[in-house]
Amino acid sequence: MEYADVGDSEFLVEDVETIVKNALQATLSENMYNPKKVNDWTNSVIDTCLKGLQLLHKSFKYIVTCIIMQKNGAGLHTTATTYWDTKKDGFCKVPWENSTMHCIVTVYGLAIEPSPTGGDVY
């Protein structure tokens, strides 16, 4: 993966998605659901994502969330809403699962410098 130049202000979902998928693979790929390890796993996924995002050298503040749920037939629904600069800010949601658990990682990237026109908000 090629990283962006310093100062690049575009939130590239593809780059973020790759970082998240690598973090999930490294942390969860060989594991079966264990409630005693979920806290460590979520912390590891988030830490690995944040370290990878820092390597992009972009002017963003990042918020990373990680949900891990045992596969037991129960439903899981999550939603979020934002009010932000649609020209610079962005998000990426990456679902992952194996035979015993579901995981959803969401990354929000908030540009440190707002766009000159302020962008649209939603």
Side-chain angles (χ1 to χ4, degrees), residues 25-51:
Q25 183 69 22
T27 305
L28 299 177
S29 66
E30 300 296 320
N31 291 303
M32 304 302 271
Y33 183 82
N34 181 339
K36 293 178 182 176
K37 293 186 178 183
V38 169
N39 192 51
D40 291 337
W41 292 337
T42 56
N43 287 334
S44 177
V45 168
I46 289 170
D47 289 344
T48 303
C49 288
L50 287 172
K51 288 175 183 171

Side-chain angles (χ1 to χ4, degrees), residues 68-119:
I68 294 177
M69 179 178 162
Q70 181 179 15
K71 269 192 179 178
N72 61 7
L76 171 64
H77 303 275
T78 181
T79 188
T81 186
T82 58
Y83 184 77
W84 61 14
D85 182 342
T86 58
K87 291 183 180 176
K88 286 195 170 185
D89 301 337
F91 82 99
C92 175
K93 178 182 75 173
V94 179
W96 179 93
E97 64 181 85
N98 67 13
S99 63
T100 64
M101 63 183 141
H102 298 281
C103 181
I104 300 171
V105 175
T106 307
V107 177
Y108 300 90
L110 308 170
I112 293 173
E113 297 283 330
S115 59
T117 61

Side-chain angles (χ1 to χ4, degrees), residues 56-72:
L56 295 176
H57 301 291
K58 294 195 176 195
S59 297
F60 284 92
K61 293 180 183 180
Y62 294 104
I63 300 165
V64 181
T65 67
C66 180
I67 299 169
I68 294 177
M69 179 178 162
Q70 181 179 15
K71 269 192 179 178
N72 61 7

